[in-house]
Amino acid sequence: MGMHRIRNLSRGGWLAIGIVLALVLAPSAAIATAAGVTEITGPGGQRAAVTDAGQLDVTQTTAGNYEVRDGSEDTTLTTPACLSFPAISATTGFVIKEITVSVFSDPSPGTSSLGLYEGPNCNLAQVINTLSPASLGMTVLPIDPGLAIPEGGTFSFAVQDMGAFVTLYGYKVPSSEISGYTPNH
């Protein structure tokens, strides 16, 4: 007898039932949608974290992947002397985030020069930057988003009529993430 009444409901009755169901179900659907989680997983299986404000919480890498490389070159010659760093890593890529240049001898401030290069042997086709320091001291070159050094790759710098200590700050990345040196730096 109860089923018979439901089947014979007027159009207005069905409309009222629909409105009541919408009022009951819509808030729970909205809550389910708002609580839905979009998950981002990296190539190594690591999961992205999300803050309480719904923002992606990121870091470039873990502390264990940060590295520092350095070397110095000193010449009083007007012909540049080049220093090539050893290969940064035979198994991973490397991203340089900052380069510091500490000039410790400069007989002619403002006329001496220093060149920074991706790759070995101070290749002019791979110049990153050149400096002509006005005095002794440190110059910090932040690099954003970074310079890519591929697996087995290196870095070099040349000095002319000065002495400088160059330090690279960066982090290792899987070799699959860097296919070559940064193009068009």
Side-chain angles (χ1 to χ4, degrees):
M1 187 166 193
M3 268 316 246
H4 182 62
R5 286 186 190 170
I6 292 175
R7 285 186 192 159
N8 291 331
L9 274 177
S10 67
R11 201 172 260 194
W14 280 112
L15 182 61
I17 289 174
I19 290 172
V20 169
L21 284 173
L23 290 174
V24 170
L25 296 176
S28 60
I31 290 169
T33 301
V37 175
T38 300
E39 188 174 286
I40 301 171
T41 305
Q46 66 276 26
R47 291 193 172 132
V50 178
T51 67
D52 290 338
Q55 296 173 329
L56 190 59
D57 186 18
V58 297
T59 59
Q60 292 173 342
T61 188
T62 62
N65 286 332
Y66 282 101
E67 289 195 12
V68 177
R69 300 296 171 105
D70 51 40
S72 67
E73 188 68 64
D74 189 7
T75 182
T76 56
L77 302 176
T78 56
T79 304
C82 178
L83 175 71
S84 293
F85 284 70
I88 293 184
S89 175
T91 59
T92 65
F94 190 72
V95 176
I96 299 172
K97 291 297 291 175
E98 182 177 275
I99 300 171
T100 62
V101 176
S102 181
V103 176
F104 56 82
S105 72
D106 192 351
S108 305
T111 61
S112 54
S113 66
L114 180 132
L116 305 169
Y117 305 86
E118 287 180 321
N121 307 320
C122 303
N123 182 343
L124 290 175
Q126 292 179 293
V127 67
I128 297 167
N129 201 349
T130 59
L131 305 169
S132 291
S135 64
L136 300 180
M138 182 168 300
T139 301
V140 178
L141 303 167
I143 302 169
D144 194 27
L147 288 172
I149 305 291
E151 172 185 313
T154 188
F155 181 88
S156 57
F157 71 96
V159 295
Q160 180 177 329
D161 197 26
M162 67 183 299
F165 188 79
V166 174
T167 306
L168 310 176
Y169 298 90
Y171 57 92
K172 297 182 291 188
V173 295
S175 60
S176 61
E177 292 184 18
I178 297 178
S179 60
Y181 291 102
T182 304
N184 303 318
H185 33 60

